Amino acid sequence: MLIAPYHLARPAARTTSVVFASPHSGRNYPASFLSRIVLDGNQIRSSEDAFVDLLYAVAPDHGAPFLTASAPRAYLDLNRGPDELDPALIEEVRRSAHNPRLASGLGVIPRVVANGRQIYRGKITLAEAHERIARFWRPYHDQLQTLLDEAINDFGEAILIDCHSMPHEALENVGPPGAPRPDIVLGDRFGATAAAPIVEQIEAAFGSAGLRVARNMPFAGAFIAQHYGRPSRQQHAIQVEIDRGLYMNERTLEPTKDFDAFKAILDGVIAELVAIGRVDKQRVAAE
Protein backbone atom coordinates (compact mmCIF):
# COMPACT_ATOMS: atom_id res chain seq x y z
CA MET A 1 0.00 0.00 0.00
CA LEU A 2 1.36 3.42 -0.94
CA ILE A 3 2.09 5.83 1.88
CA ALA A 4 0.71 9.35 1.44
CA PRO A 5 3.59 11.85 1.27
CA TYR A 6 2.17 13.99 4.09
CA HIS A 7 -0.88 14.65 6.21
CA LEU A 8 -2.54 18.05 6.23
CA ALA A 9 -4.99 19.01 8.97
CA ARG A 10 -6.86 22.14 7.96
CA PRO A 11 -8.96 24.19 10.38
CA ALA A 12 -12.69 24.53 9.85
CA ALA A 13 -12.01 28.25 9.37
CA ARG A 14 -8.51 29.63 8.86
CA THR A 15 -8.15 32.68 11.07
CA THR A 16 -4.40 33.24 11.25
CA SER A 17 -1.28 33.68 9.13
CA VAL A 18 0.51 31.05 11.25
CA VAL A 19 1.32 27.67 9.67
CA PHE A 20 2.55 24.72 11.75
CA ALA A 21 4.62 21.98 10.11
CA SER A 22 6.47 18.93 11.44
CA PRO A 23 8.99 17.47 8.97
CA HIS A 24 10.53 14.86 11.30
CA SER A 25 7.62 13.16 13.07
CA GLY A 26 6.93 10.64 10.28
CA ARG A 27 7.01 7.01 11.39
CA ASN A 28 5.81 5.00 8.37
CA TYR A 29 8.83 2.81 7.65
CA PRO A 30 8.61 0.97 4.30
CA ALA A 31 9.21 -2.77 4.64
CA SER A 32 11.67 -2.63 1.75
CA PHE A 33 13.72 -0.10 3.71
CA LEU A 34 13.67 -2.05 6.99
CA SER A 35 14.87 -5.18 5.20
CA ARG A 36 18.08 -3.40 4.14
CA ILE A 37 19.23 -1.74 7.35
CA VAL A 38 21.50 -2.89 10.15
CA LEU A 39 19.64 -1.21 13.04
CA ASP A 40 16.84 -2.50 15.23
CA GLY A 41 13.43 -0.89 15.62
CA ASN A 42 14.36 1.52 18.41
CA GLN A 43 17.70 2.47 16.88
CA ILE A 44 16.20 3.42 13.52
CA ARG A 45 13.60 5.56 15.29
CA SER A 46 16.17 7.52 17.32
CA SER A 47 16.24 10.37 14.79
CA GLU A 48 12.47 10.87 14.85
CA ASP A 49 10.87 13.91 16.42
CA ALA A 50 8.65 11.37 18.12
CA PHE A 51 5.18 12.56 19.17
CA VAL A 52 5.67 16.13 17.92
CA ASP A 53 2.68 15.58 15.63
CA LEU A 54 0.59 14.73 18.70
CA LEU A 55 1.90 17.67 20.72
CA TYR A 56 0.80 20.18 18.08
CA ALA A 57 -2.35 18.38 16.96
CA VAL A 58 -4.60 21.02 18.50
CA ALA A 59 -3.39 23.75 16.09
CA PRO A 60 -6.30 23.38 13.62
CA ASP A 61 -8.77 23.81 16.50
CA HIS A 62 -7.33 27.31 16.94
CA GLY A 63 -7.58 28.19 13.24
CA ALA A 64 -4.16 27.21 11.86
CA PRO A 65 -3.21 24.44 9.39
CA PHE A 66 -0.83 21.70 10.50
CA LEU A 67 1.30 19.81 7.98
CA THR A 68 3.07 16.62 9.05
CA ALA A 69 5.45 14.32 7.22
CA SER A 70 4.75 10.63 6.77
CA ALA A 71 8.25 9.56 5.69
CA PRO A 72 10.60 9.02 8.64
CA ARG A 73 13.68 11.17 8.93
CA ALA A 74 15.98 8.13 8.71
CA TYR A 75 14.46 7.37 5.30
CA LEU A 76 14.38 10.93 3.97
CA ASP A 77 15.20 14.20 5.72
CA LEU A 78 12.78 16.93 4.70
CA ASN A 79 14.92 19.51 6.50
CA ARG A 80 17.71 19.17 3.93
CA GLY A 81 17.97 20.44 0.40
CA PRO A 82 17.18 17.96 -2.40
CA ASP A 83 20.71 18.39 -3.74
CA GLU A 84 22.38 17.37 -0.45
CA LEU A 85 23.27 13.91 -1.74
CA ASP A 86 25.91 11.96 0.18
CA PRO A 87 28.55 10.34 -2.06
CA ALA A 88 29.48 7.97 0.78
CA LEU A 89 25.96 6.50 0.61
CA ILE A 90 24.61 7.10 -2.89
CA GLU A 91 26.16 5.59 -6.00
CA GLU A 92 27.14 7.87 -8.88
CA VAL A 93 27.27 11.00 -6.74
CA ARG A 94 30.47 12.99 -7.08
CA ARG A 95 32.15 14.61 -4.14
CA SER A 96 31.69 18.38 -4.21
CA ALA A 97 32.53 21.32 -1.97
CA HIS A 98 32.76 20.45 1.72
CA ASN A 99 29.36 20.25 3.38
CA PRO A 100 29.53 19.49 7.11
CA ARG A 101 26.10 17.87 7.09
CA LEU A 102 27.10 15.46 4.33
CA ALA A 103 30.42 14.79 6.02
CA SER A 104 28.48 13.79 9.14
CA GLY A 105 26.19 11.48 7.15
CA LEU A 106 23.18 13.78 7.46
CA GLY A 107 22.21 14.54 3.89
CA VAL A 108 18.73 14.43 2.41
CA ILE A 109 19.06 10.63 2.47
CA PRO A 110 20.74 10.10 5.85
CA ARG A 111 23.61 7.63 6.18
CA VAL A 112 23.45 7.62 10.00
CA VAL A 113 20.98 8.12 12.82
CA ALA A 114 21.60 9.63 16.25
CA ASN A 115 25.09 9.14 17.70
CA GLY A 116 26.52 8.38 14.27
CA ARG A 117 25.13 4.85 13.93
CA GLN A 118 25.22 3.58 10.34
CA ILE A 119 21.85 2.78 8.76
CA TYR A 120 22.67 0.69 5.69
CA ARG A 121 24.72 -2.38 4.84
CA GLY A 122 25.94 -0.78 1.62
CA LYS A 123 25.11 1.98 -0.83
CA ILE A 124 21.82 2.85 -2.52
CA THR A 125 21.38 3.87 -6.13
CA LEU A 126 21.01 7.42 -7.32
CA ALA A 127 17.71 6.42 -8.96
CA GLU A 128 16.36 5.30 -5.57
CA ALA A 129 17.44 8.57 -3.95
CA HIS A 130 15.68 10.56 -6.68
CA GLU A 131 12.56 8.41 -6.31
CA ARG A 132 12.33 9.14 -2.57
CA ILE A 133 12.76 12.85 -3.19
CA ALA A 134 10.08 12.85 -5.87
CA ARG A 135 7.71 10.69 -3.82
CA PHE A 136 7.96 12.48 -0.47
CA TRP A 137 10.22 15.55 -0.45
CA ARG A 138 8.70 17.52 -3.30
CA PRO A 139 5.02 17.00 -2.37
CA TYR A 140 5.68 18.04 1.23
CA HIS A 141 7.53 21.20 0.23
CA ASP A 142 5.07 22.06 -2.53
CA GLN A 143 2.23 21.84 0.00
CA LEU A 144 4.16 23.85 2.58
CA GLN A 145 4.80 26.68 0.12
CA THR A 146 1.13 26.59 -0.90
CA LEU A 147 0.09 27.06 2.73
CA LEU A 148 2.46 30.00 3.10
CA ASP A 149 1.24 31.56 -0.16
CA GLU A 150 -2.36 31.22 1.03
CA ALA A 151 -1.45 32.97 4.29
CA ILE A 152 0.19 35.86 2.46
CA ASN A 153 -2.79 36.20 0.12
CA ASP A 154 -5.33 36.09 2.96
CA PHE A 155 -3.48 37.89 5.76
CA GLY A 156 -0.63 39.83 4.17
CA GLU A 157 2.03 37.68 5.88
CA ALA A 158 2.97 34.10 6.67
CA ILE A 159 4.54 32.80 9.88
CA LEU A 160 5.92 29.26 9.72
CA ILE A 161 6.38 27.43 13.01
CA ASP A 162 8.79 24.63 12.06
CA CYS A 163 8.11 22.06 14.78
CA HIS A 164 10.96 19.89 16.08
CA SER A 165 12.25 18.14 19.20
CA MET A 166 15.81 17.81 20.48
CA PRO A 167 17.62 15.17 22.53
CA HIS A 168 17.99 16.18 26.16
CA GLU A 169 21.73 15.52 25.97
CA ALA A 170 22.07 18.15 23.23
CA LEU A 171 21.50 20.80 25.90
CA GLU A 172 24.35 19.76 28.18
CA ASN A 173 26.69 22.58 27.17
CA VAL A 174 24.12 25.32 26.55
CA GLY A 175 24.62 28.30 28.83
CA PRO A 176 27.00 28.81 31.74
CA PRO A 177 27.96 25.77 33.87
CA GLY A 178 25.32 25.07 36.47
CA ALA A 179 22.71 27.29 34.82
CA PRO A 180 19.27 25.81 34.05
CA ARG A 181 19.03 24.30 30.60
CA PRO A 182 16.50 25.69 28.14
CA ASP A 183 13.31 23.76 27.49
CA ILE A 184 12.80 25.42 24.11
CA VAL A 185 15.29 26.60 21.50
CA LEU A 186 14.07 29.04 18.84
CA GLY A 187 16.03 29.17 15.60
CA ASP A 188 15.82 32.16 13.29
CA ARG A 189 19.35 31.97 11.84
CA PHE A 190 20.38 34.80 14.17
CA GLY A 191 17.67 37.14 12.93
CA ALA A 192 17.79 36.27 9.24
CA THR A 193 14.58 34.24 8.84
CA ALA A 194 11.95 36.17 10.81
CA ALA A 195 11.23 39.70 11.94
CA ALA A 196 12.38 40.44 15.49
CA PRO A 197 8.91 41.39 16.84
CA ILE A 198 7.52 38.02 15.75
CA VAL A 199 10.35 36.06 17.35
CA GLU A 200 9.94 38.10 20.54
CA GLN A 201 6.23 37.25 20.68
CA ILE A 202 6.95 33.56 20.12
CA GLU A 203 9.53 33.59 22.91
CA ALA A 204 7.06 35.34 25.19
CA ALA A 205 4.36 32.74 24.46
CA PHE A 206 6.61 29.90 25.63
CA GLY A 207 8.00 31.95 28.50
CA SER A 208 4.56 32.82 29.84
CA ALA A 209 3.89 29.08 30.14
CA GLY A 210 6.88 28.73 32.45
CA LEU A 211 9.23 27.28 29.82
CA ARG A 212 12.86 28.40 29.59
CA VAL A 213 13.71 29.66 26.10
CA ALA A 214 17.04 30.08 24.30
CA ARG A 215 17.71 31.33 20.80
CA ASN A 216 19.88 29.76 18.08
CA MET A 217 22.06 27.70 20.41
CA PRO A 218 22.60 24.87 19.82
CA PHE A 219 20.11 24.88 16.92
CA ALA A 220 19.74 27.95 14.68
CA GLY A 221 17.57 26.39 11.99
CA ALA A 222 18.44 24.27 8.95
CA PHE A 223 17.16 24.06 5.36
CA ILE A 224 13.51 24.83 6.08
CA ALA A 225 14.16 27.96 8.12
CA GLN A 226 16.76 29.16 5.61
CA HIS A 227 14.66 28.39 2.55
CA TYR A 228 11.31 29.75 3.71
CA GLY A 229 12.42 32.57 5.98
CA ARG A 230 12.00 35.71 3.84
CA PRO A 231 10.98 38.47 6.25
CA SER A 232 11.43 41.17 3.58
CA ARG A 233 8.59 39.42 1.72
CA GLN A 234 6.48 39.03 4.89
CA GLN A 235 7.27 35.30 4.97
CA HIS A 236 8.76 34.39 8.36
CA ALA A 237 10.14 31.02 9.49
CA ILE A 238 11.07 30.03 13.04
CA GLN A 239 12.38 26.62 14.04
CA VAL A 240 11.09 25.48 17.44
CA GLU A 241 12.97 22.72 19.27
CA ILE A 242 11.42 21.13 22.37
CA ASP A 243 13.47 19.12 24.88
CA ARG A 244 12.30 15.52 24.50
CA GLY A 245 13.00 14.91 28.15
CA LEU A 246 9.92 16.98 29.01
CA TYR A 247 7.48 14.40 27.67
CA MET A 248 9.12 11.14 26.54
CA ASN A 249 11.58 8.42 27.49
CA GLU A 250 14.30 8.71 24.87
CA ARG A 251 15.56 5.17 25.49
CA THR A 252 12.23 3.36 25.10
CA LEU A 253 10.67 5.95 22.76
CA GLU A 254 7.51 6.04 24.83
CA PRO A 255 5.58 8.97 26.31
CA THR A 256 6.20 9.50 30.01
CA LYS A 257 3.56 10.06 32.67
CA ASP A 258 4.19 13.79 32.13
CA PHE A 259 3.10 13.71 28.49
CA ASP A 260 -0.52 14.79 28.97
CA ALA A 261 0.40 17.55 31.41
CA PHE A 262 3.05 18.90 29.07
CA LYS A 263 0.67 18.71 26.11
CA ALA A 264 -1.86 20.75 28.08
CA ILE A 265 0.80 23.43 28.66
CA LEU A 266 1.71 23.40 24.99
CA ASP A 267 -1.96 23.70 23.97
CA GLY A 268 -2.03 27.07 25.69
CA VAL A 269 1.20 28.12 23.97
CA ILE A 270 -0.19 27.11 20.57
CA ALA A 271 -3.25 29.28 21.15
CA GLU A 272 -0.92 32.25 21.81
CA LEU A 273 1.21 31.47 18.75
CA VAL A 274 -1.87 31.37 16.56
CA ALA A 275 -2.96 34.72 17.96
CA ILE A 276 0.30 36.31 16.74
CA GLY A 277 -0.93 35.75 13.20
CA ARG A 278 -4.34 37.31 13.67
CA VAL A 279 -3.04 40.13 11.66
CA ASP A 280 -1.65 43.21 13.24
CA LYS A 281 -1.96 45.47 10.19
CA GLN A 282 0.36 48.09 11.67
CA ARG A 283 3.11 45.53 12.18
CA VAL A 284 2.77 44.16 8.64
CA ALA A 285 2.85 47.65 7.17
CA ALA A 286 5.93 48.58 9.18
CA GLU A 287 8.01 45.53 8.28
Side-chain angles (χ1 to χ4, degrees):
M1 184 175 67
L2 286 177
I3 300 171
Y6 58 80
H7 175 70
L8 175 60
R10 285 189 178 272
R14 191 166 174 181
T15 61
T16 178
S17 63
V18 175
V19 173
F20 294 86
S22 173
H24 288 162
S25 57
R27 49 186 174 269
N28 292 310
Y29 290 86
S32 59
F33 169 69
L34 294 176
S35 69
R36 299 169 57 190
I37 66 174
V38 297
L39 302 175
D40 65 29
N42 269 20
Q43 290 170 333
I44 195 61
R45 292 191 60 202
S46 61
S47 292
E48 278 180 27
D49 286 346
F51 312 116
V52 165
D53 54 337
L54 303 181
L55 290 175
Y56 285 91
V58 75
D61 294 343
H62 294 292
F66 184 31
L67 178 68
T68 56
S70 58
R73 182 184 188 183
Y75 181 76
L76 177 77
D77 193 338
L78 296 169
N79 201 19
R80 298 289 182 264
D83 59 344
E84 292 188 75
L85 299 171
D86 185 352
L89 173 65
I90 304 168
E91 296 172 353
E92 303 172 55
V93 174
R94 293 183 179 181
R95 295 189 181 276
S96 57
H98 179 69
N99 179 320
R101 292 192 289 260
L102 292 184
S104 300
L106 298 173
V108 66
I109 310 289
R111 175 166 36 95
V112 302
V113 293
N115 299 317
R117 289 171 292 194
Q118 296 285 330
I119 297 173
Y120 298 89
R121 292 186 177 88
K123 287 192 171 187
I124 69 171
T125 65
L126 182 58
E128 181 176 350
H130 284 161
E131 191 277 334
R132 292 186 196 182
I133 291 166
R135 178 81 181 84
F136 294 100
W137 194 99
R138 297 199 184 281
Y140 179 91
H141 284 277
D142 287 348
Q143 182 60 73
L144 180 53
Q145 187 61 67
T146 295
L147 292 170
L148 298 175
D149 290 344
E150 290 172 354
I152 290 172
N153 289 337
D154 292 345
F155 303 100
E157 68 173 9
I159 302 172
L160 171 60
I161 305 296
D162 186 34
C163 307
H164 295 262
S165 66
M166 55 190 171
H168 184 70
E169 66 180 17
L171 302 167
E172 286 181 356
N173 298 315
V174 178
R181 298 174 179 181
D183 302 307
I184 308 292
V185 176
L186 304 182
D188 65 353
R189 303 298 299 179
F190 300 94
T193 68
I198 291 175
V199 182
E200 288 164 4
Q201 290 178 80
I202 292 171
E203 182 172 355
F206 283 103
S208 66
L211 297 167
R212 295 185 295 272
V213 183
R215 292 198 201 179
N216 295 306
M217 291 297 290
F219 303 106
F223 173 81
I224 288 173
Q226 290 176 288
H227 182 73
Y228 293 101
R230 297 289 183 269
S232 64
R233 303 178 194 172
Q234 307 303 336
Q235 182 170 289
H236 310 272
I238 303 91
Q239 179 176 285
V240 177
E241 298 272 5
I242 301 175
D243 178 2
R244 294 173 190 164
L246 294 171
Y247 61 88
M248 66 176 281
N249 183 315
E250 295 183 72
R251 182 180 57 82
T252 64
L253 299 177
E254 295 176 335
T256 63
K257 60 180 177 58
D258 300 318
F259 183 88
D260 289 340
F262 180 73
K263 186 178 184 304
I265 291 171
L266 196 59
D267 286 354
V269 175
I270 290 167
E272 289 194 42
L273 297 178
V274 168
I276 295 169
R278 294 203 171 103
V279 176
D280 180 340
K281 296 292 187 182
Q282 285 186 321
R283 185 191 74 215
V284 173
E287 290 172 1

